[in-house]
Amino acid sequence: MIEFPPLKNDLILRAARGEKTERAPVWIMRQAGRYLPEFRKEREKHDFFTICRTPKLATLITLQPINRYDGLLDAAIIFSDILVIPQALGLIVEMVPNKGPHFPSPLETPADIDTKLNKNVDVYKELGYVFDALTMTRQALEGRVPLLGFIGAPWTLMAYMIEGGGSNNFSKAKTWLFKYPEESKRLLQIITDVAVDFLIGQIKAGAQMVQVFESWGGELSPHDFKTFSLPYISQIADRVKNKFKDDGLIPVPMTIFCKGSWYALESLSDIGYDTISLDWTIDPAYAKSVTKGKVTLQGNMDPCMLYGGDEAIRSTVKTMLEAFGTHEKYIVNLGHGILPTVDPEATRVFLETVHSVGLDLNKNR
Ligand SMILES: Cc1c2[nH]c(c1CCC(=O)O)Cc1[nH]c(c(CCC(=O)O)c1C)Cc1[nH]c(c(CCC(=O)O)c1C)Cc1[nH]c(c(CCC(=O)O)c1C)C2
Protein backbone atom coordinates (compact mmCIF):
# COMPACT_ATOMS: atom_id res chain seq x y z
CA MET A 1 0.00 0.00 0.00
CA ILE A 2 1.22 3.48 -0.89
CA GLU A 3 1.42 6.00 1.99
CA PHE A 4 -0.49 9.25 1.43
CA PRO A 5 -0.91 12.47 3.45
CA PRO A 6 -3.93 12.41 5.81
CA LEU A 7 -7.19 13.74 4.42
CA LYS A 8 -8.31 17.14 5.74
CA ASN A 9 -11.71 17.23 4.00
CA ASP A 10 -13.63 13.96 3.70
CA LEU A 11 -17.07 15.52 3.16
CA ILE A 12 -17.68 13.86 -0.21
CA LEU A 13 -16.68 10.42 1.09
CA ARG A 14 -19.01 10.78 4.05
CA ALA A 15 -21.86 11.92 1.81
CA ALA A 16 -21.28 8.95 -0.51
CA ARG A 17 -21.36 6.54 2.43
CA GLY A 18 -24.66 8.01 3.61
CA GLU A 19 -23.22 9.68 6.71
CA LYS A 20 -24.40 13.09 7.90
CA THR A 21 -22.55 16.14 6.55
CA GLU A 22 -22.43 19.71 7.86
CA ARG A 23 -23.10 20.91 4.31
CA ALA A 24 -23.47 19.19 0.95
CA PRO A 25 -20.07 18.65 -0.73
CA VAL A 26 -19.55 19.98 -4.25
CA TRP A 27 -17.41 19.30 -7.30
CA ILE A 28 -17.97 19.91 -11.02
CA MET A 29 -17.83 17.43 -13.87
CA ARG A 30 -15.01 18.52 -16.24
CA GLN A 31 -13.81 21.00 -13.60
CA ALA A 32 -10.26 20.86 -14.98
CA GLY A 33 -10.69 21.92 -18.58
CA ARG A 34 -11.23 24.37 -21.32
CA TYR A 35 -13.23 27.03 -19.43
CA LEU A 36 -10.07 27.76 -17.39
CA PRO A 37 -7.52 30.11 -19.03
CA GLU A 38 -4.74 28.34 -17.10
CA PHE A 39 -5.77 25.06 -18.78
CA ARG A 40 -5.88 26.63 -22.25
CA LYS A 41 -2.38 27.99 -21.69
CA GLU A 42 -1.01 24.50 -20.98
CA ARG A 43 -3.03 23.06 -23.87
CA GLU A 44 -1.36 25.48 -26.31
CA LYS A 45 1.95 23.93 -25.34
CA HIS A 46 1.00 20.24 -25.28
CA ASP A 47 -1.14 17.76 -27.16
CA PHE A 48 -4.14 16.51 -25.15
CA PHE A 49 -3.00 12.90 -24.75
CA THR A 50 0.57 14.01 -24.01
CA ILE A 51 -0.87 15.79 -20.98
CA CYS A 52 -2.75 12.60 -19.97
CA ARG A 53 0.41 10.53 -20.37
CA THR A 54 2.71 12.90 -18.46
CA PRO A 55 1.95 12.56 -14.74
CA LYS A 56 3.51 15.93 -13.89
CA LEU A 57 1.24 17.74 -16.39
CA ALA A 58 -1.85 15.74 -15.41
CA THR A 59 -1.15 16.63 -11.77
CA LEU A 60 -0.65 20.31 -12.57
CA ILE A 61 -3.97 20.50 -14.45
CA THR A 62 -5.94 18.43 -11.93
CA LEU A 63 -4.87 20.93 -9.28
CA GLN A 64 -5.75 24.04 -11.31
CA PRO A 65 -9.40 24.30 -10.21
CA ILE A 66 -8.49 23.22 -6.65
CA ASN A 67 -6.03 26.12 -6.44
CA ARG A 68 -8.19 28.69 -8.24
CA TYR A 69 -11.27 27.96 -6.10
CA ASP A 70 -9.22 27.43 -2.96
CA GLY A 71 -11.39 25.73 -0.32
CA LEU A 72 -14.55 25.77 -2.47
CA LEU A 73 -14.24 22.37 -4.21
CA ASP A 74 -14.60 19.19 -2.16
CA ALA A 75 -12.96 16.82 -4.64
CA ALA A 76 -10.37 16.74 -7.41
CA ILE A 77 -10.90 14.55 -10.49
CA ILE A 78 -7.84 13.18 -12.22
CA PHE A 79 -7.09 14.76 -15.58
CA SER A 80 -7.54 12.04 -18.20
CA ASP A 81 -10.24 10.98 -20.64
CA ILE A 82 -12.68 8.11 -21.00
CA LEU A 83 -11.08 7.29 -24.37
CA VAL A 84 -7.86 5.94 -22.88
CA ILE A 85 -9.56 2.50 -22.71
CA PRO A 86 -10.12 2.34 -26.48
CA GLN A 87 -6.47 3.35 -26.86
CA ALA A 88 -5.40 0.54 -24.52
CA LEU A 89 -7.48 -1.81 -26.67
CA GLY A 90 -5.37 -0.80 -29.65
CA LEU A 91 -7.37 1.93 -31.41
CA ILE A 92 -5.81 5.25 -32.31
CA VAL A 93 -7.61 8.27 -30.86
CA GLU A 94 -6.66 11.84 -31.69
CA MET A 95 -7.98 14.92 -29.94
CA VAL A 96 -8.77 17.60 -32.48
CA PRO A 97 -8.71 21.06 -30.84
CA ASN A 98 -12.20 22.64 -30.64
CA LYS A 99 -13.72 19.55 -32.26
CA GLY A 100 -13.20 16.61 -29.95
CA PRO A 101 -12.04 13.02 -30.30
CA HIS A 102 -11.38 11.40 -33.67
CA PHE A 103 -10.67 7.72 -34.42
CA PRO A 104 -8.94 7.47 -37.83
CA SER A 105 -9.75 3.75 -38.02
CA PRO A 106 -12.88 2.94 -35.99
CA LEU A 107 -14.51 -0.50 -35.73
CA GLU A 108 -16.62 -1.05 -38.82
CA THR A 109 -17.77 -4.66 -38.74
CA PRO A 110 -17.70 -7.33 -35.99
CA ALA A 111 -14.73 -8.95 -37.75
CA ASP A 112 -12.76 -5.88 -36.64
CA ILE A 113 -13.02 -7.05 -33.02
CA ASP A 114 -10.48 -9.73 -33.87
CA THR A 115 -8.35 -7.77 -36.30
CA LYS A 116 -8.19 -4.33 -34.69
CA LEU A 117 -8.37 -4.96 -30.95
CA ASN A 118 -5.73 -6.14 -28.52
CA LYS A 119 -7.74 -8.49 -26.33
CA ASN A 120 -5.10 -9.22 -23.70
CA VAL A 121 -4.76 -5.79 -22.21
CA ASP A 122 -2.31 -5.44 -19.35
CA VAL A 123 -3.61 -2.24 -17.79
CA TYR A 124 -0.36 -1.70 -15.90
CA LYS A 125 1.52 -1.67 -19.18
CA GLU A 126 -1.01 0.26 -21.30
CA LEU A 127 -2.51 2.60 -18.70
CA GLY A 128 0.17 2.72 -16.01
CA TYR A 129 0.58 6.41 -16.77
CA VAL A 130 -2.91 7.05 -15.33
CA PHE A 131 -1.94 5.17 -12.17
CA ASP A 132 1.26 7.21 -11.90
CA ALA A 133 -0.72 10.43 -12.41
CA LEU A 134 -3.16 9.43 -9.67
CA THR A 135 -0.39 8.63 -7.19
CA MET A 136 1.49 11.84 -7.96
CA THR A 137 -1.67 13.96 -7.79
CA ARG A 138 -2.80 12.46 -4.50
CA GLN A 139 0.60 13.28 -3.00
CA ALA A 140 0.48 16.80 -4.43
CA LEU A 141 -3.02 17.38 -3.03
CA GLU A 142 -1.57 16.97 0.47
CA GLY A 143 -4.94 15.75 1.73
CA ARG A 144 -6.80 18.96 0.80
CA VAL A 145 -9.64 17.01 -0.87
CA PRO A 146 -10.21 13.43 -2.01
CA LEU A 147 -9.05 12.43 -5.49
CA LEU A 148 -11.58 10.88 -7.88
CA GLY A 149 -10.78 8.37 -10.61
CA PHE A 150 -13.11 7.52 -13.50
CA ILE A 151 -13.81 5.40 -16.56
CA GLY A 152 -16.22 5.49 -19.47
CA ALA A 153 -18.92 2.81 -19.29
CA PRO A 154 -18.87 0.02 -21.90
CA TRP A 155 -21.78 1.19 -24.09
CA THR A 156 -20.47 4.78 -24.23
CA LEU A 157 -16.98 3.56 -25.16
CA MET A 158 -18.39 1.12 -27.74
CA ALA A 159 -20.30 4.02 -29.28
CA TYR A 160 -17.09 6.07 -29.73
CA MET A 161 -15.16 3.05 -31.01
CA ILE A 162 -17.72 2.50 -33.79
CA GLU A 163 -18.80 6.07 -34.55
CA GLY A 164 -15.18 7.21 -34.61
CA GLY A 165 -15.99 10.31 -32.56
CA GLY A 166 -19.00 12.23 -31.28
CA SER A 167 -22.32 11.58 -32.99
CA ASN A 168 -25.81 13.05 -33.34
CA ASN A 169 -27.75 9.83 -33.64
CA PHE A 170 -25.34 6.95 -32.97
CA SER A 171 -26.67 5.18 -36.04
CA LYS A 172 -23.47 3.20 -36.66
CA ALA A 173 -23.14 1.98 -33.08
CA LYS A 174 -26.85 1.19 -32.93
CA THR A 175 -26.63 -0.72 -36.18
CA TRP A 176 -24.26 -3.05 -34.33
CA LEU A 177 -26.63 -3.39 -31.36
CA PHE A 178 -29.61 -4.25 -33.53
CA LYS A 179 -27.97 -6.16 -36.38
CA TYR A 180 -25.22 -7.94 -34.45
CA PRO A 181 -26.46 -8.16 -30.84
CA GLU A 182 -24.26 -11.11 -29.86
CA GLU A 183 -21.10 -9.59 -31.31
CA SER A 184 -22.03 -6.30 -29.64
CA LYS A 185 -22.25 -8.11 -26.30
CA ARG A 186 -18.88 -9.67 -26.95
CA LEU A 187 -17.40 -6.22 -27.53
CA LEU A 188 -19.12 -4.83 -24.44
CA GLN A 189 -17.68 -7.69 -22.39
CA ILE A 190 -14.16 -7.06 -23.72
CA ILE A 191 -14.46 -3.40 -22.71
CA THR A 192 -15.92 -4.36 -19.32
CA ASP A 193 -12.98 -6.64 -18.49
CA VAL A 194 -10.49 -3.83 -19.15
CA ALA A 195 -12.67 -1.32 -17.29
CA VAL A 196 -12.70 -3.53 -14.17
CA ASP A 197 -8.91 -3.96 -14.13
CA PHE A 198 -8.44 -0.27 -14.85
CA LEU A 199 -10.66 0.86 -11.97
CA ILE A 200 -9.02 -1.56 -9.55
CA GLY A 201 -5.62 -0.20 -10.59
CA GLN A 202 -6.84 3.40 -10.19
CA ILE A 203 -8.03 2.71 -6.65
CA LYS A 204 -4.78 0.96 -5.74
CA ALA A 205 -2.87 3.93 -7.15
CA GLY A 206 -4.73 6.40 -4.93
CA ALA A 207 -8.25 7.13 -6.25
CA GLN A 208 -10.47 7.63 -3.19
CA MET A 209 -13.78 7.46 -5.07
CA VAL A 210 -14.55 6.58 -8.69
CA GLN A 211 -17.17 7.54 -11.27
CA VAL A 212 -18.42 5.53 -14.23
CA PHE A 213 -19.57 7.76 -17.11
CA GLU A 214 -22.35 6.28 -19.23
CA SER A 215 -22.66 9.57 -21.08
CA TRP A 216 -24.73 8.11 -23.92
CA GLY A 217 -27.02 5.93 -21.77
CA GLY A 218 -29.99 8.09 -22.71
CA GLU A 219 -29.55 7.24 -26.39
CA LEU A 220 -30.90 3.77 -25.60
CA SER A 221 -34.54 2.79 -25.12
CA PRO A 222 -35.35 1.42 -21.64
CA HIS A 223 -35.31 -2.10 -23.08
CA ASP A 224 -32.01 -1.66 -24.88
CA PHE A 225 -30.50 -0.01 -21.81
CA LYS A 226 -31.37 -3.18 -19.86
CA THR A 227 -29.72 -5.32 -22.52
CA PHE A 228 -26.64 -3.33 -23.49
CA SER A 229 -25.77 -1.06 -20.56
CA LEU A 230 -27.12 -2.25 -17.21
CA PRO A 231 -25.52 -5.74 -17.14
CA TYR A 232 -22.07 -4.29 -17.80
CA ILE A 233 -22.18 -1.34 -15.39
CA SER A 234 -23.61 -3.72 -12.81
CA GLN A 235 -20.76 -6.17 -13.39
CA ILE A 236 -18.23 -3.35 -12.98
CA ALA A 237 -19.57 -2.38 -9.53
CA ASP A 238 -19.75 -6.02 -8.40
CA ARG A 239 -16.33 -7.05 -9.59
CA VAL A 240 -14.51 -3.95 -8.35
CA LYS A 241 -16.16 -4.07 -4.92
CA ASN A 242 -15.63 -7.83 -4.54
CA LYS A 243 -11.97 -7.53 -5.41
CA PHE A 244 -11.39 -5.17 -2.48
CA LYS A 245 -13.61 -7.16 -0.11
CA ASP A 246 -11.76 -10.37 -1.03
CA ASP A 247 -8.48 -8.63 -0.20
CA GLY A 248 -9.85 -7.60 3.21
CA LEU A 249 -10.06 -3.94 2.18
CA ILE A 250 -12.96 -1.49 2.30
CA PRO A 251 -14.08 -0.63 -1.27
CA VAL A 252 -14.09 3.06 -2.17
CA PRO A 253 -17.43 4.70 -3.02
CA MET A 254 -18.55 4.31 -6.63
CA THR A 255 -20.75 6.69 -8.64
CA ILE A 256 -22.72 5.89 -11.77
CA PHE A 257 -23.72 8.64 -14.21
CA CYS A 258 -26.11 7.54 -16.96
CA LYS A 259 -26.96 10.74 -18.74
CA GLY A 260 -30.53 10.74 -20.01
CA SER A 261 -31.47 7.37 -18.52
CA TRP A 262 -34.18 8.68 -16.18
CA TYR A 263 -36.13 5.46 -16.68
CA ALA A 264 -33.30 3.43 -15.15
CA LEU A 265 -33.08 5.27 -11.82
CA GLU A 266 -34.70 2.51 -9.80
CA SER A 267 -32.52 -0.23 -11.32
CA LEU A 268 -29.43 1.91 -10.85
CA SER A 269 -30.11 2.17 -7.12
CA ASP A 270 -29.93 -1.62 -6.78
CA ILE A 271 -26.70 -2.60 -8.55
CA GLY A 272 -24.06 -1.76 -5.98
CA TYR A 273 -23.21 1.88 -6.67
CA ASP A 274 -23.10 4.24 -3.67
CA THR A 275 -23.98 7.36 -5.63
CA ILE A 276 -26.10 8.12 -8.69
CA SER A 277 -25.26 11.26 -10.65
CA LEU A 278 -28.32 12.90 -12.19
CA ASP A 279 -28.68 15.10 -15.24
CA TRP A 280 -30.76 18.27 -15.02
CA THR A 281 -33.93 16.78 -16.52
CA ILE A 282 -34.61 14.81 -13.34
CA ASP A 283 -36.70 16.34 -10.60
CA PRO A 284 -35.01 15.94 -7.19
CA ALA A 285 -38.24 14.82 -5.48
CA TYR A 286 -38.79 12.18 -8.16
CA ALA A 287 -35.21 10.91 -7.83
CA LYS A 288 -35.52 10.72 -4.06
CA SER A 289 -38.82 8.88 -4.18
CA VAL A 290 -37.66 6.33 -6.77
CA THR A 291 -34.30 5.59 -5.11
CA LYS A 292 -35.82 5.46 -1.60
CA GLY A 293 -32.70 6.58 0.27
CA LYS A 294 -30.70 3.55 -0.91
CA VAL A 295 -28.05 5.70 -2.59
CA THR A 296 -26.53 9.19 -2.41
CA LEU A 297 -27.69 11.49 -5.20
CA GLN A 298 -25.36 13.82 -7.11
CA GLY A 299 -26.18 16.71 -9.41
CA ASN A 300 -27.90 18.29 -11.19
CA MET A 301 -27.95 21.96 -12.18
CA ASP A 302 -28.28 22.61 -15.91
CA PRO A 303 -24.70 23.51 -17.00
CA CYS A 304 -26.16 26.39 -19.05
CA MET A 305 -27.48 27.99 -15.86
CA LEU A 306 -23.90 29.24 -15.44
CA TYR A 307 -24.70 31.62 -18.33
CA GLY A 308 -27.77 32.95 -16.51
CA GLY A 309 -26.12 35.61 -14.35
CA ASP A 310 -25.34 35.66 -10.63
CA GLU A 311 -28.91 36.02 -9.40
CA ALA A 312 -30.21 33.12 -11.50
CA ILE A 313 -27.33 30.94 -10.31
CA ARG A 314 -27.94 31.81 -6.66
CA SER A 315 -31.66 31.20 -6.74
CA THR A 316 -31.32 27.94 -8.70
CA VAL A 317 -28.72 26.62 -6.27
CA LYS A 318 -30.95 27.50 -3.33
CA THR A 319 -33.97 25.74 -4.84
CA MET A 320 -31.84 22.72 -5.72
CA LEU A 321 -30.33 22.43 -2.23
CA GLU A 322 -33.73 22.79 -0.61
CA ALA A 323 -35.09 20.03 -2.82
CA PHE A 324 -32.24 17.54 -2.31
CA GLY A 325 -31.54 18.42 1.35
CA THR A 326 -28.02 19.28 2.40
CA HIS A 327 -27.21 17.16 5.42
CA GLU A 328 -27.11 13.65 4.00
CA LYS A 329 -26.94 11.57 0.85
CA TYR A 330 -26.35 14.50 -1.47
CA ILE A 331 -23.37 15.78 -3.47
CA VAL A 332 -23.78 18.99 -5.47
CA ASN A 333 -22.69 18.97 -9.11
CA LEU A 334 -23.91 20.06 -12.52
CA GLY A 335 -26.13 17.76 -14.58
CA HIS A 336 -23.31 17.28 -17.12
CA GLY A 337 -19.83 18.66 -17.73
CA ILE A 338 -19.11 22.37 -17.44
CA LEU A 339 -19.08 23.98 -20.89
CA PRO A 340 -15.89 25.47 -22.36
CA THR A 341 -17.29 29.02 -22.71
CA VAL A 342 -18.42 29.43 -19.10
CA ASP A 343 -16.96 32.38 -17.18
CA PRO A 344 -14.83 31.00 -14.32
CA GLU A 345 -16.27 33.76 -12.10
CA ALA A 346 -19.79 32.39 -12.66
CA THR A 347 -18.46 29.06 -11.46
CA ARG A 348 -17.18 30.79 -8.33
CA VAL A 349 -20.65 32.22 -7.66
CA PHE A 350 -22.07 28.71 -8.00
CA LEU A 351 -19.53 27.23 -5.56
CA GLU A 352 -19.81 30.05 -3.02
CA THR A 353 -23.59 29.77 -3.03
CA VAL A 354 -23.43 26.01 -2.49
CA HIS A 355 -21.32 26.66 0.61
CA SER A 356 -23.32 29.53 2.09
CA VAL A 357 -26.79 28.14 1.38
CA GLY A 358 -25.73 24.63 2.42
CA LEU A 359 -24.46 25.81 5.81
CA ASP A 360 -27.53 28.02 6.28
CA LEU A 361 -30.03 25.30 5.52
CA ASN A 362 -28.29 22.92 7.89
CA LYS A 363 -28.25 25.54 10.66
CA ASN A 364 -31.98 26.01 10.34
CA ARG A 365 -32.82 22.33 10.44
C1 LIG B 1 -13.75 13.31 -16.57
C2 LIG B 1 -13.16 13.82 -17.87
C3 LIG B 1 -13.58 13.48 -19.17
N1 LIG B 1 -12.81 14.17 -20.08
C4 LIG B 1 -11.92 14.95 -19.40
C5 LIG B 1 -12.06 14.69 -18.01
C6 LIG B 1 -11.13 15.20 -16.91
C7 LIG B 1 -11.31 16.62 -16.58
C8 LIG B 1 -12.24 16.95 -15.49
O1 LIG B 1 -13.37 16.44 -15.42
O2 LIG B 1 -11.88 17.80 -14.69
C9 LIG B 1 -10.94 15.86 -19.98
C10 LIG B 1 -11.16 16.36 -21.36
N2 LIG B 1 -11.56 15.62 -22.45
C11 LIG B 1 -11.59 16.43 -23.57
C12 LIG B 1 -11.18 17.73 -23.21
C13 LIG B 1 -11.00 18.90 -24.16
C14 LIG B 1 -9.92 18.53 -25.09
C15 LIG B 1 -9.06 19.65 -25.57
O3 LIG B 1 -8.39 20.29 -24.76
O4 LIG B 1 -8.98 19.80 -26.80
C16 LIG B 1 -10.92 17.70 -21.84
C17 LIG B 1 -10.42 18.84 -21.00
C18 LIG B 1 -11.92 15.97 -24.92
C19 LIG B 1 -13.18 15.21 -25.06
N3 LIG B 1 -13.37 13.94 -24.63
C20 LIG B 1 -14.65 13.55 -24.88
C21 LIG B 1 -15.33 14.64 -25.46
C22 LIG B 1 -16.80 14.67 -25.87
C23 LIG B 1 -16.93 14.50 -27.32
C24 LIG B 1 -18.37 14.33 -27.77
O5 LIG B 1 -19.07 15.34 -27.85
O6 LIG B 1 -18.76 13.21 -28.03
C25 LIG B 1 -14.40 15.68 -25.61
C26 LIG B 1 -14.62 17.03 -26.23
C27 LIG B 1 -15.21 12.26 -24.46
C28 LIG B 1 -15.51 12.27 -23.02
N4 LIG B 1 -14.59 12.48 -22.01
C29 LIG B 1 -15.21 12.40 -20.79
C30 LIG B 1 -16.55 12.06 -21.02
C31 LIG B 1 -17.54 11.75 -19.94
C32 LIG B 1 -18.10 13.00 -19.36
C33 LIG B 1 -19.11 13.69 -20.22
O7 LIG B 1 -20.11 13.06 -20.58
O8 LIG B 1 -18.90 14.87 -20.47
C34 LIG B 1 -16.76 12.02 -22.41
C35 LIG B 1 -18.04 11.71 -23.13
C36 LIG B 1 -14.63 12.51 -19.43
Side-chain angles (χ1 to χ4, degrees), residues 28-34 39 43 48 77-83 95-98 100-101 150 156 160 165-167 213 215-216 257 336-337:
I28 297 174
M29 285 192 264
R30 304 286 197 105
Q31 67 190 24
R34 287 172 293 178
F39 170 79
R43 188 66 174 87
F48 178 81
I77 180 162
I78 191 66
F79 189 82
S80 182
D81 197 79
I82 62 168
L83 300 174
M95 201 55 80
V96 185
N98 304 319
F150 69 93
T156 293
Y160 279 108
S167 169
F213 285 95
S215 301
W216 309 131
F257 175 52
H336 199 191

